[in-house]
Amino acid sequence: MKLSIRTLGDPVLREPAKLVTEFDRRLRALHDDMLETMYAAPGVGLAGPQVGISLRLFVFDDGETGPRVMVNPRLEAGAGELREEEGCLSIPGPYHETPRYESITCRGQDLDGRPIELSGVGLLARIFQHETDHLDGLLFIDRLDDEGRRSVLAELRRIELGLEDPSQKRRLLRRTDG
Ligand SMILES: [Zn+2]
């Protein structure tokens, strides 16, 4: 079932999400719905709070990993810095160069509660950081300087007012939406 994606202004996006403690059928169903929602968007990552569920999990697919899930993620050993265009399904339309670690390790659990560890470079590292931020109530605009944040919010406003059509840009850059 496709879920509705919460957008900027929805308070659930600003709440720290709770640890997942029940690895049951409901979690699996939520995971299935989140993957369906992410692919339909389309996006490369989707975190619980983005569909109104304040739980610490996200799904992702950077185009190479295939559909994956990370429950209760923790980031470690971030290294390097990469500034690339980043977008967010919860701030639909604008993209902005956003500084992130170039490589990072993400430890967490699978749907059965078993430990998993994945190392990401480039886009995958960016997804791990973007989605883990969502679980802490942070958005990519919080990682920008004042000017960057202002420009994203101004573009969002122009799109909402119908003064700008994001579709062309979205087609080019959609692989960075998370
Ligand atoms: Zn996002």
Side-chain angles (χ1 to χ4, degrees):
M1 184 179 68
K2 215 172 88 179
L3 307 169
S4 79
I5 296 178
R6 307 300 179 89
T7 54
L8 189 66
D10 191 315
V12 73
L13 293 173
R14 292 309 197 174
E15 283 169 26
K18 294 183 228 24
L19 281 172
V20 172
T21 55
E22 308 278 331
F23 294 85
D24 54 9
R25 282 218 303 258
R26 278 170 53 199
L27 183 68
R28 197 166 287 273
L30 172 63
H31 156 268
D32 293 350
D33 289 346
M34 285 174 65
L35 272 180
E36 187 182 339
T37 306
M38 179 188 82
Y39 283 122
V44 292
L46 187 70
Q50 291 183 277
V51 290
I53 307 291
S54 198
L55 284 175
R56 301 189 76 82
L57 82 158
F58 62 79
V59 295
F60 62 98
D61 180 354
D62 72 346
E64 291 178 10
T65 58
R68 298 293 302 256
V69 64
M70 187 65 80
V71 181
N72 297 329
R74 296 184 313 280
L75 298 177
E76 292 170 17
E81 193 194 86
L82 209 55
R83 290 175 175 271
E84 288 189 336
E85 296 263 332
E86 192 167 315
C88 180
L89 296 174
S90 295
I91 308 175
Y95 295 83
H96 203 278
E97 271 196 9
T98 306
R100 297 286 188 182
Y101 288 117
E102 183 175 13
S103 66
I104 204 158
T105 297
C106 188
R107 290 175 195 272
Q109 290 164 281
D110 67 14
L111 293 176
D112 296 311
R114 288 184 297 246
I116 43 179
E117 178 184 328
L118 284 171
S119 291
V121 180
L123 178 60
L124 187 55
R126 184 168 298 273
I127 292 170
F128 288 160
Q129 293 165 85
H130 182 111
E131 301 308 328
T132 302
D133 269 357
H134 273 302
L135 306 181
D136 296 326
L138 291 172
L139 300 167
F140 84 96
I141 51 174
D142 303 324
R143 300 289 184 189
L144 305 178
D145 59 21
D146 287 347
E147 195 188 332
R149 191 162 37 248
R150 269 199 300 273
S151 110
V152 168
L153 295 176
E155 187 179 344
L156 184 64
R157 182 104 180 101
R158 288 196 300 276
I159 291 166
E160 284 171 351
L161 291 172
L163 301 173
E164 195 161 317
D165 176 9
S167 55
Q168 184 65 27
K169 207 169 168 187
R170 171 168 286 269
R171 251 196 311 282
L172 294 172
L173 294 166
R174 68 187 176 195
R175 65 186 205 99
T176 62
D177 270 311

